[in-house]
Amino acid sequence: MDIIMNGSGGRMGAMMATIVAEREKDRIVAGIDPKGRVNAEPFPVFESLDACNVDADVLIDFSGAEAVSTMISFLKERHIPVVVATTGLSDENMAALKVLAETSPVFQAANMSLGINLIRKLAAQAAQALGDAFDIEIIEKHHNQKKDAPSGTALALADSVNEARDGELHYVFGRRESAKKREASELGIHAIRGGTIVGEHDVLFAGIDEVITISHSAYSRRVFAAGAMKAAAYIATKRSGFFTMDDLISGR
């Protein structure tokens, strides 16, 4: 694959460059970053997608939610398959991506780790099996440079759990403003930011005299880059449609 890397100057952009350099048949043909060349990248770097005149088989996006609308305009013109790995997307961003998917292939995931997407399924199964006998809390931890809180992954985990509970749960983000007992219908979501934590997510099911915890820890951004490459290979042959990790994992 020939890849355009949107967000090439960021941490994930640098990791993607490392991963792709290890592969014989894939290459990054262009990077996009408003700061221009940041890490002595061995490919041309453009300050905007509008300035990019390089053809590619797929675009991988690790930029930022604020750049999504510009990226969508570029993709509408170029009809390049896209892997959207940027977190913190708004409802408007998601709606625009689904409109784009009517004419171009779009792969979107709040977390590119295959492992985190597996525990999302496991958490949903647990929520369905345990029912309202267990309180559910989600705790996520990330490095001190992460802007969005809670993480997109935490929200994706919450949505999967809530869907398994027929949408009966309401989300509570921390409890500083609450001076009352926990309601059975609550799904608590808590964000921790500090140091260089790559990403940790725990889903706690707390019952009477027992606690079940489903956990995932990422020790390197490499897991996200590897997942993005799998997604890129999956989406590169599609003509249109909106795809997620569920499609990739199930082989649909």
mmCIF file of all heavy atoms in Angstrom, residues 151-201:
data_model
loop_
_atom_site.group_PDB
_atom_site.id
_atom_site.type_symbol
_atom_site.label_atom_id
_atom_site.label_comp_id
_atom_site.label_asym_id
_atom_site.label_seq_id
_atom_site.Cartn_x
_atom_site.Cartn_y
_atom_site.Cartn_z
ATOM 1 N N SER A 151 -11.739 9.135 27.482
ATOM 2 C CA SER A 151 -11.218 8.703 26.192
ATOM 3 C C SER A 151 -12.336 8.174 25.303
ATOM 4 O O SER A 151 -13.380 7.724 25.783
ATOM 5 C CB SER A 151 -10.163 7.606 26.387
ATOM 6 O OG SER A 151 -10.773 6.418 26.874
ATOM 7 N N GLY A 152 -12.085 8.230 24.002
ATOM 8 C CA GLY A 152 -13.053 7.658 23.076
ATOM 9 C C GLY A 152 -13.243 6.172 23.310
ATOM 10 O O GLY A 152 -14.345 5.630 23.117
ATOM 11 N N THR A 153 -12.185 5.504 23.749
ATOM 12 C CA THR A 153 -12.274 4.076 24.031
ATOM 13 C C THR A 153 -13.184 3.808 25.216
ATOM 14 O O THR A 153 -13.997 2.870 25.198
ATOM 15 C CB THR A 153 -10.877 3.493 24.309
ATOM 16 O OG1 THR A 153 -10.063 3.717 23.160
ATOM 17 C CG2 THR A 153 -10.945 2.008 24.600
ATOM 18 N N ALA A 154 -13.064 4.626 26.271
ATOM 19 C CA ALA A 154 -13.930 4.469 27.434
ATOM 20 C C ALA A 154 -15.393 4.639 27.048
ATOM 21 O O ALA A 154 -16.269 3.882 27.504
ATOM 22 C CB ALA A 154 -13.544 5.463 28.523
ATOM 23 N N LEU A 155 -15.662 5.616 26.196
ATOM 24 C CA LEU A 155 -17.040 5.829 25.756
ATOM 25 C C LEU A 155 -17.527 4.678 24.886
ATOM 26 O O LEU A 155 -18.697 4.277 24.970
ATOM 27 C CB LEU A 155 -17.140 7.153 24.993
ATOM 28 C CG LEU A 155 -16.920 8.410 25.841
ATOM 29 C CD1 LEU A 155 -16.883 9.647 24.946
ATOM 30 C CD2 LEU A 155 -18.017 8.548 26.886
ATOM 31 N N ALA A 156 -16.631 4.126 24.052
ATOM 32 C CA ALA A 156 -17.007 2.976 23.226
ATOM 33 C C ALA A 156 -17.311 1.764 24.102
ATOM 34 O O ALA A 156 -18.265 1.001 23.834
ATOM 35 C CB ALA A 156 -15.886 2.648 22.243
ATOM 36 N N LEU A 157 -16.518 1.558 25.142
ATOM 37 C CA LEU A 157 -16.788 0.480 26.091
ATOM 38 C C LEU A 157 -18.132 0.701 26.768
ATOM 39 O O LEU A 157 -18.938 -0.236 26.914
ATOM 40 C CB LEU A 157 -15.682 0.406 27.142
ATOM 41 C CG LEU A 157 -14.334 -0.151 26.689
ATOM 42 C CD1 LEU A 157 -13.253 0.164 27.712
ATOM 43 C CD2 LEU A 157 -14.413 -1.657 26.468
ATOM 44 N N ALA A 158 -18.391 1.936 27.191
ATOM 45 C CA ALA A 158 -19.660 2.252 27.846
ATOM 46 C C ALA A 158 -20.843 1.999 26.912
ATOM 47 O O ALA A 158 -21.867 1.427 27.327
ATOM 48 C CB ALA A 158 -19.647 3.707 28.314
ATOM 49 N N ASP A 159 -20.698 2.412 25.666
ATOM 50 C CA ASP A 159 -21.789 2.214 24.703
ATOM 51 C C ASP A 159 -22.074 0.731 24.470
ATOM 52 O O ASP A 159 -23.233 0.321 24.354
ATOM 53 C CB ASP A 159 -21.448 2.888 23.377
ATOM 54 C CG ASP A 159 -21.470 4.410 23.468
ATOM 55 O OD1 ASP A 159 -22.033 4.943 24.444
ATOM 56 O OD2 ASP A 159 -20.916 5.061 22.557
ATOM 57 N N SER A 160 -21.019 -0.075 24.403
ATOM 58 C CA SER A 160 -21.203 -1.513 24.206
ATOM 59 C C SER A 160 -21.918 -2.141 25.399
ATOM 60 O O SER A 160 -22.821 -2.979 25.240
ATOM 61 C CB SER A 160 -19.849 -2.203 23.996
ATOM 62 O OG SER A 160 -19.252 -1.771 22.796
ATOM 63 N N VAL A 161 -21.504 -1.736 26.599
ATOM 64 C CA VAL A 161 -22.141 -2.245 27.818
ATOM 65 C C VAL A 161 -23.599 -1.807 27.881
ATOM 66 O O VAL A 161 -24.500 -2.594 28.184
ATOM 67 C CB VAL A 161 -21.371 -1.745 29.061
ATOM 68 C CG1 VAL A 161 -22.190 -1.941 30.326
ATOM 69 C CG2 VAL A 161 -20.034 -2.466 29.184
ATOM 70 N N ASN A 162 -23.844 -0.539 27.572
ATOM 71 C CA ASN A 162 -25.206 -0.003 27.651
ATOM 72 C C ASN A 162 -26.119 -0.645 26.622
ATOM 73 O O ASN A 162 -27.304 -0.898 26.882
ATOM 74 C CB ASN A 162 -25.179 1.510 27.465
ATOM 75 C CG ASN A 162 -26.435 2.171 27.990
ATOM 76 O OD1 ASN A 162 -27.172 1.601 28.801
ATOM 77 N ND2 ASN A 162 -26.694 3.382 27.540
ATOM 78 N N GLU A 163 -25.583 -0.911 25.443
ATOM 79 C CA GLU A 163 -26.376 -1.582 24.409
ATOM 80 C C GLU A 163 -26.777 -2.978 24.872
ATOM 81 O O GLU A 163 -27.911 -3.424 24.641
ATOM 82 C CB GLU A 163 -25.576 -1.658 23.117
ATOM 83 C CG GLU A 163 -26.346 -2.257 21.948
ATOM 84 C CD GLU A 163 -25.546 -2.267 20.658
ATOM 85 O OE1 GLU A 163 -24.519 -1.572 20.588
ATOM 86 O OE2 GLU A 163 -25.972 -2.979 19.723
ATOM 87 N N ALA A 164 -25.833 -3.661 25.554
ATOM 88 C CA ALA A 164 -26.141 -4.996 26.078
ATOM 89 C C ALA A 164 -27.198 -4.946 27.180
ATOM 90 O O ALA A 164 -27.898 -5.929 27.421
ATOM 91 C CB ALA A 164 -24.875 -5.657 26.607
ATOM 92 N N ARG A 165 -27.314 -3.791 27.839
ATOM 93 C CA ARG A 165 -28.315 -3.592 28.887
ATOM 94 C C ARG A 165 -29.536 -2.847 28.357
ATOM 95 O O ARG A 165 -30.288 -2.242 29.114
ATOM 96 C CB ARG A 165 -27.683 -2.831 30.051
ATOM 97 C CG ARG A 165 -26.654 -3.633 30.852
ATOM 98 C CD ARG A 165 -27.316 -4.605 31.812
ATOM 99 N NE ARG A 165 -28.096 -3.865 32.796
ATOM 100 C CZ ARG A 165 -27.620 -3.406 33.946
ATOM 101 N NH1 ARG A 165 -26.350 -3.630 34.265
ATOM 102 N NH2 ARG A 165 -28.387 -2.732 34.779
ATOM 103 N N ASP A 166 -29.736 -2.911 27.037
ATOM 104 C CA ASP A 166 -30.909 -2.326 26.385
ATOM 105 C C ASP A 166 -31.028 -0.817 26.599
ATOM 106 O O ASP A 166 -32.138 -0.269 26.634
ATOM 107 C CB ASP A 166 -32.189 -3.019 26.862
ATOM 108 C CG ASP A 166 -32.229 -4.501 26.502
ATOM 109 O OD1 ASP A 166 -31.747 -4.843 25.407
ATOM 110 O OD2 ASP A 166 -32.713 -5.308 27.314
ATOM 111 N N GLY A 167 -29.894 -0.146 26.758
ATOM 112 C CA GLY A 167 -29.899 1.308 26.865
ATOM 113 C C GLY A 167 -30.471 1.855 28.155
ATOM 114 O O GLY A 167 -30.795 3.047 28.234
ATOM 115 N N GLU A 168 -30.539 1.044 29.176
ATOM 116 C CA GLU A 168 -31.169 1.481 30.431
ATOM 117 C C GLU A 168 -30.220 2.241 31.357
ATOM 118 O O GLU A 168 -30.648 2.823 32.362
ATOM 119 C CB GLU A 168 -31.712 0.272 31.186
ATOM 120 C CG GLU A 168 -30.637 -0.697 31.664
ATOM 121 C CD GLU A 168 -31.207 -1.931 32.329
ATOM 122 O OE1 GLU A 168 -32.409 -2.202 32.161
ATOM 123 O OE2 GLU A 168 -30.444 -2.627 33.012
ATOM 124 N N LEU A 169 -28.928 2.286 31.034
ATOM 125 C CA LEU A 169 -27.948 2.932 31.899
ATOM 126 C C LEU A 169 -27.727 4.390 31.499
ATOM 127 O O LEU A 169 -27.796 4.729 30.315
ATOM 128 C CB LEU A 169 -26.613 2.190 31.836
ATOM 129 C CG LEU A 169 -26.655 0.702 32.220
ATOM 130 C CD1 LEU A 169 -25.289 0.062 31.997
ATOM 131 C CD2 LEU A 169 -27.103 0.518 33.664
ATOM 132 N N HIS A 170 -27.460 5.260 32.474
ATOM 133 C CA HIS A 170 -27.089 6.637 32.167
ATOM 134 C C HIS A 170 -25.687 6.884 32.702
ATOM 135 O O HIS A 170 -25.293 6.385 33.744
ATOM 136 C CB HIS A 170 -28.087 7.644 32.744
ATOM 137 C CG HIS A 170 -28.119 7.722 34.235
ATOM 138 N ND1 HIS A 170 -28.864 6.867 35.018
ATOM 139 C CD2 HIS A 170 -27.484 8.562 35.100
ATOM 140 C CE1 HIS A 170 -28.712 7.170 36.297
ATOM 141 N NE2 HIS A 170 -27.869 8.184 36.379
ATOM 142 N N TYR A 171 -24.905 7.669 31.938
ATOM 143 C CA TYR A 171 -23.491 7.850 32.235
ATOM 144 C C TYR A 171 -23.289 8.940 33.285
ATOM 145 O O TYR A 171 -23.903 10.006 33.225
ATOM 146 C CB TYR A 171 -22.717 8.223 30.970
ATOM 147 C CG TYR A 171 -22.819 7.190 29.855
ATOM 148 C CD1 TYR A 171 -22.383 7.487 28.562
ATOM 149 C CD2 TYR A 171 -23.354 5.920 30.084
ATOM 150 C CE1 TYR A 171 -22.468 6.555 27.535
ATOM 151 C CE2 TYR A 171 -23.443 4.988 29.068
ATOM 152 C CZ TYR A 171 -23.013 5.310 27.801
ATOM 153 O OH TYR A 171 -23.103 4.380 26.798
ATOM 154 N N VAL A 172 -22.419 8.646 34.236
ATOM 155 C CA VAL A 172 -22.037 9.603 35.267
ATOM 156 C C VAL A 172 -20.526 9.778 35.187
ATOM 157 O O VAL A 172 -19.773 8.817 35.350
ATOM 158 C CB VAL A 172 -22.444 9.114 36.672
ATOM 159 C CG1 VAL A 172 -21.942 10.092 37.739
ATOM 160 C CG2 VAL A 172 -23.961 8.955 36.765
ATOM 161 N N PHE A 173 -20.081 11.012 34.940
ATOM 162 C CA PHE A 173 -18.650 11.285 34.761
ATOM 163 C C PHE A 173 -18.090 11.860 36.061
ATOM 164 O O PHE A 173 -18.205 13.053 36.326
ATOM 165 C CB PHE A 173 -18.449 12.252 33.601
ATOM 166 C CG PHE A 173 -19.025 11.742 32.304
ATOM 167 C CD1 PHE A 173 -20.280 12.135 31.875
ATOM 168 C CD2 PHE A 173 -18.306 10.842 31.523
ATOM 169 C CE1 PHE A 173 -20.808 11.653 30.683
ATOM 170 C CE2 PHE A 173 -18.826 10.352 30.332
ATOM 171 C CZ PHE A 173 -20.080 10.756 29.919
ATOM 172 N N GLY A 174 -17.498 10.991 36.880
ATOM 173 C CA GLY A 174 -17.029 11.429 38.182
ATOM 174 C C GLY A 174 -18.217 11.691 39.100
ATOM 175 O O GLY A 174 -19.372 11.689 38.659
ATOM 176 N N ARG A 175 -17.950 11.945 40.385
ATOM 177 C CA ARG A 175 -19.072 12.120 41.311
ATOM 178 C C ARG A 175 -18.883 13.314 42.246
ATOM 179 O O ARG A 175 -19.504 13.385 43.295
ATOM 180 C CB ARG A 175 -19.277 10.840 42.127
ATOM 181 C CG ARG A 175 -19.786 9.693 41.264
ATOM 182 C CD ARG A 175 -20.364 8.569 42.107
ATOM 183 N NE ARG A 175 -21.061 7.637 41.246
ATOM 184 C CZ ARG A 175 -20.471 6.710 40.513
ATOM 185 N NH1 ARG A 175 -19.161 6.577 40.559
ATOM 186 N NH2 ARG A 175 -21.175 5.908 39.743
ATOM 187 N N ARG A 176 -18.036 14.249 41.880
ATOM 188 C CA ARG A 176 -17.780 15.385 42.763
ATOM 189 C C ARG A 176 -19.039 16.216 42.993
ATOM 190 O O ARG A 176 -19.264 16.745 44.084
ATOM 191 C CB ARG A 176 -16.682 16.274 42.158
ATOM 192 C CG ARG A 176 -16.249 17.401 43.073
ATOM 193 C CD ARG A 176 -15.082 18.167 42.454
ATOM 194 N NE ARG A 176 -14.570 19.173 43.367
ATOM 195 C CZ ARG A 176 -15.085 20.388 43.506
ATOM 196 N NH1 ARG A 176 -16.136 20.733 42.792
ATOM 197 N NH2 ARG A 176 -14.555 21.247 44.353
ATOM 198 N N GLU A 177 -19.868 16.344 41.964
ATOM 199 C CA GLU A 177 -21.061 17.169 42.082
ATOM 200 C C GLU A 177 -22.244 16.407 42.655
ATOM 201 O O GLU A 177 -23.306 16.972 42.873
ATOM 202 C CB GLU A 177 -21.438 17.734 40.698
ATOM 203 C CG GLU A 177 -20.322 18.528 40.022
ATOM 204 C CD GLU A 177 -19.899 19.730 40.844
ATOM 205 O OE1 GLU A 177 -20.769 20.299 41.534
ATOM 206 O OE2 GLU A 177 -18.697 20.073 40.808
ATOM 207 N N SER A 178 -22.059 15.110 42.881
ATOM 208 C CA SER A 178 -23.167 14.286 43.352
ATOM 209 C C SER A 178 -23.045 14.030 44.848
ATOM 210 O O SER A 178 -22.014 13.589 45.335
ATOM 211 C CB SER A 178 -23.179 12.950 42.597
ATOM 212 O OG SER A 178 -24.203 12.111 43.102
ATOM 213 N N ALA A 179 -24.110 14.316 45.579
ATOM 214 C CA ALA A 179 -24.127 14.080 47.027
ATOM 215 C C ALA A 179 -25.258 13.118 47.374
ATOM 216 O O ALA A 179 -26.064 13.365 48.264
ATOM 217 C CB ALA A 179 -24.274 15.398 47.775
ATOM 218 N N LYS A 180 -25.300 12.036 46.640
ATOM 219 C CA LYS A 180 -26.346 11.045 46.882
ATOM 220 C C LYS A 180 -25.798 9.658 46.607
ATOM 221 O O LYS A 180 -24.728 9.496 46.008
ATOM 222 C CB LYS A 180 -27.556 11.314 45.993
ATOM 223 C CG LYS A 180 -27.248 11.264 44.500
ATOM 224 C CD LYS A 180 -28.485 11.565 43.660
ATOM 225 C CE LYS A 180 -28.160 11.500 42.158
ATOM 226 N NZ LYS A 180 -29.351 11.782 41.335
ATOM 227 N N LYS A 181 -26.513 8.657 47.034
ATOM 228 C CA LYS A 181 -26.088 7.283 46.820
ATOM 229 C C LYS A 181 -26.120 6.944 45.331
ATOM 230 O O LYS A 181 -26.876 7.525 44.560
ATOM 231 C CB LYS A 181 -26.990 6.321 47.587
ATOM 232 C CG LYS A 181 -26.860 6.414 49.106
ATOM 233 C CD LYS A 181 -27.768 5.386 49.773
ATOM 234 C CE LYS A 181 -27.630 5.444 51.289
ATOM 235 N NZ LYS A 181 -28.530 4.458 51.950
ATOM 236 N N ARG A 182 -25.325 5.989 44.984
ATOM 237 C CA ARG A 182 -25.265 5.532 43.586
ATOM 238 C C ARG A 182 -26.580 4.879 43.188
ATOM 239 O O ARG A 182 -27.122 4.046 43.914
ATOM 240 C CB ARG A 182 -24.125 4.512 43.441
ATOM 241 C CG ARG A 182 -23.859 4.095 42.003
ATOM 242 C CD ARG A 182 -22.909 2.918 41.972
ATOM 243 N NE ARG A 182 -22.333 2.732 40.664
ATOM 244 C CZ ARG A 182 -22.966 2.144 39.636
ATOM 245 N NH1 ARG A 182 -24.202 1.709 39.790
ATOM 246 N NH2 ARG A 182 -22.358 2.009 38.465
ATOM 247 N N GLU A 183 -27.091 5.239 42.020
ATOM 248 C CA GLU A 183 -28.300 4.608 41.501
ATOM 249 C C GLU A 183 -27.938 3.356 40.716
ATOM 250 O O GLU A 183 -26.857 3.268 40.124
ATOM 251 C CB GLU A 183 -29.054 5.586 40.595
ATOM 252 C CG GLU A 183 -29.543 6.828 41.309
ATOM 253 C CD GLU A 183 -30.229 7.796 40.359
ATOM 254 O OE1 GLU A 183 -30.366 7.458 39.158
ATOM 255 O OE2 GLU A 183 -30.618 8.888 40.806
ATOM 256 N N ALA A 184 -28.829 2.409 40.698
ATOM 257 C CA ALA A 184 -28.565 1.144 39.996
ATOM 258 C C ALA A 184 -28.384 1.345 38.495
ATOM 259 O O ALA A 184 -27.701 0.570 37.831
ATOM 260 C CB ALA A 184 -29.693 0.159 40.256
ATOM 261 N N SER A 185 -28.986 2.411 37.964
ATOM 262 C CA SER A 185 -28.933 2.649 36.519
ATOM 263 C C SER A 185 -27.713 3.450 36.091
ATOM 264 O O SER A 185 -27.565 3.779 34.919
ATOM 265 C CB SER A 185 -30.202 3.370 36.063
ATOM 266 O OG SER A 185 -30.305 4.634 36.702
ATOM 267 N N GLU A 186 -26.819 3.763 37.017
ATOM 268 C CA GLU A 186 -25.626 4.535 36.677
ATOM 269 C C GLU A 186 -24.558 3.669 36.025
ATOM 270 O O GLU A 186 -24.408 2.488 36.351
ATOM 271 C CB GLU A 186 -25.019 5.173 37.932
ATOM 272 C CG GLU A 186 -25.826 6.304 38.518
ATOM 273 C CD GLU A 186 -25.146 6.932 39.716
ATOM 274 O OE1 GLU A 186 -23.950 6.662 39.954
ATOM 275 O OE2 GLU A 186 -25.815 7.702 40.424
ATOM 276 N N LEU A 187 -23.814 4.282 35.115
ATOM 277 C CA LEU A 187 -22.594 3.686 34.588
ATOM 278 C C LEU A 187 -21.515 4.744 34.784
ATOM 279 O O LEU A 187 -21.481 5.744 34.082
ATOM 280 C CB LEU A 187 -22.745 3.304 33.115
ATOM 281 C CG LEU A 187 -21.737 2.295 32.533
ATOM 282 C CD1 LEU A 187 -22.169 1.838 31.145
ATOM 283 C CD2 LEU A 187 -20.321 2.826 32.485
ATOM 284 N N GLY A 188 -20.677 4.539 35.794
ATOM 285 C CA GLY A 188 -19.657 5.521 36.119
ATOM 286 C C GLY A 188 -18.473 5.458 35.173
ATOM 287 O O GLY A 188 -17.998 4.369 34.837
ATOM 288 N N ILE A 189 -17.987 6.624 34.728
ATOM 289 C CA ILE A 189 -16.836 6.699 33.829
ATOM 290 C C ILE A 189 -15.840 7.694 34.426
ATOM 291 O O ILE A 189 -16.203 8.841 34.712
ATOM 292 C CB ILE A 189 -17.244 7.140 32.411
ATOM 293 C CG1 ILE A 189 -18.337 6.223 31.861
ATOM 294 C CG2 ILE A 189 -16.038 7.144 31.485
ATOM 295 C CD1 ILE A 189 -18.893 6.650 30.515
ATOM 296 N N HIS A 190 -14.602 7.253 34.617
ATOM 297 C CA HIS A 190 -13.610 8.059 35.318
ATOM 298 C C HIS A 190 -12.320 8.130 34.502
ATOM 299 O O HIS A 190 -11.847 7.122 33.979
ATOM 300 C CB HIS A 190 -13.323 7.453 36.690
ATOM 301 C CG HIS A 190 -14.571 7.094 37.442
ATOM 302 N ND1 HIS A 190 -15.308 8.007 38.156
ATOM 303 C CD2 HIS A 190 -15.241 5.912 37.557
ATOM 304 C CE1 HIS A 190 -16.361 7.420 38.696
ATOM 305 N NE2 HIS A 190 -16.345 6.145 38.339
ATOM 306 N N ALA A 191 -11.751 9.335 34.401
ATOM 307 C CA ALA A 191 -10.541 9.560 33.608
ATOM 308 C C ALA A 191 -9.377 9.963 34.506
ATOM 309 O O ALA A 191 -9.522 10.827 35.370
ATOM 310 C CB ALA A 191 -10.793 10.649 32.564
ATOM 311 N N ILE A 192 -8.239 9.322 34.295
ATOM 312 C CA ILE A 192 -6.999 9.644 34.996
ATOM 313 C C ILE A 192 -5.968 10.062 33.968
ATOM 314 O O ILE A 192 -5.817 9.412 32.926
ATOM 315 C CB ILE A 192 -6.502 8.420 35.805
ATOM 316 C CG1 ILE A 192 -7.497 8.098 36.926
ATOM 317 C CG2 ILE A 192 -5.110 8.663 36.363
ATOM 318 C CD1 ILE A 192 -7.199 6.815 37.656
ATOM 319 N N ARG A 193 -5.244 11.152 34.238
ATOM 320 C CA ARG A 193 -4.219 11.647 33.323
ATOM 321 C C ARG A 193 -2.912 11.825 34.080
ATOM 322 O O ARG A 193 -2.882 12.526 35.107
ATOM 323 C CB ARG A 193 -4.640 12.989 32.712
ATOM 324 C CG ARG A 193 -5.877 12.922 31.833
ATOM 325 C CD ARG A 193 -5.589 12.186 30.539
ATOM 326 N NE ARG A 193 -6.790 12.029 29.735
ATOM 327 C CZ ARG A 193 -7.594 10.978 29.793
ATOM 328 N NH1 ARG A 193 -7.320 10.003 30.653
ATOM 329 N NH2 ARG A 193 -8.646 10.876 29.021
ATOM 330 N N GLY A 194 -1.844 11.215 33.597
ATOM 331 C CA GLY A 194 -0.570 11.397 34.264
ATOM 332 C C GLY A 194 0.584 10.716 33.565
ATOM 333 O O GLY A 194 0.417 9.672 32.922
ATOM 334 N N GLY A 195 1.767 11.310 33.674
ATOM 335 C CA GLY A 195 2.991 10.697 33.177
ATOM 336 C C GLY A 195 2.924 10.314 31.722
ATOM 337 O O GLY A 195 2.418 11.056 30.879
ATOM 338 N N THR A 196 3.419 9.129 31.432
ATOM 339 C CA THR A 196 3.495 8.647 30.047
ATOM 340 C C THR A 196 2.636 7.390 29.832
ATOM 341 O O THR A 196 2.939 6.581 28.959
ATOM 342 C CB THR A 196 4.956 8.327 29.681
ATOM 343 O OG1 THR A 196 5.465 7.332 30.593
ATOM 344 C CG2 THR A 196 5.818 9.570 29.753
ATOM 345 N N ILE A 197 1.585 7.246 30.612
ATOM 346 C CA ILE A 197 0.709 6.073 30.471
ATOM 347 C C ILE A 197 0.169 6.020 29.047
ATOM 348 O O ILE A 197 -0.476 6.961 28.583
ATOM 349 C CB ILE A 197 -0.461 6.125 31.467
ATOM 350 C CG1 ILE A 197 0.049 6.195 32.904
ATOM 351 C CG2 ILE A 197 -1.359 4.903 31.289
ATOM 352 C CD1 ILE A 197 -1.039 6.472 33.929
ATOM 353 N N VAL A 198 0.423 4.932 28.354
ATOM 354 C CA VAL A 198 -0.025 4.807 26.963
ATOM 355 C C VAL A 198 -1.531 4.632 26.893
ATOM 356 O O VAL A 198 -2.215 5.280 26.101
ATOM 357 C CB VAL A 198 0.694 3.632 26.269
ATOM 358 C CG1 VAL A 198 0.126 3.412 24.871
ATOM 359 C CG2 VAL A 198 2.188 3.912 26.188
ATOM 360 N N GLY A 199 -2.063 3.755 27.721
ATOM 361 C CA GLY A 199 -3.509 3.543 27.734
ATOM 362 C C GLY A 199 -3.895 2.343 28.565
ATOM 363 O O GLY A 199 -3.407 1.233 28.319
ATOM 364 N N GLU A 200 -4.744 2.547 29.567
ATOM 365 C CA GLU A 200 -5.251 1.457 30.387
ATOM 366 C C GLU A 200 -6.755 1.636 30.561
ATOM 367 O O GLU A 200 -7.222 2.756 30.799
ATOM 368 C CB GLU A 200 -4.569 1.435 31.762
ATOM 369 C CG GLU A 200 -3.066 1.216 31.704
ATOM 370 C CD GLU A 200 -2.416 1.193 33.079
ATOM 371 O OE1 GLU A 200 -3.176 1.151 34.082
ATOM 372 O OE2 GLU A 200 -1.186 1.233 33.150
ATOM 373 N N HIS A 201 -7.485 0.544 30.432
ATOM 374 C CA HIS A 201 -8.933 0.588 30.588
ATOM 375 C C HIS A 201 -9.395 -0.592 31.433
ATOM 376 O O HIS A 201 -9.010 -1.733 31.178
ATOM 377 C CB HIS A 201 -9.632 0.545 29.225
ATOM 378 C CG HIS A 201 -9.400 1.767 28.394
ATOM 379 N ND1 HIS A 201 -8.272 1.930 27.614
ATOM 380 C CD2 HIS A 201 -10.137 2.898 28.235
ATOM 381 C CE1 HIS A 201 -8.328 3.103 26.999
ATOM 382 N NE2 HIS A 201 -9.446 3.708 27.356
#
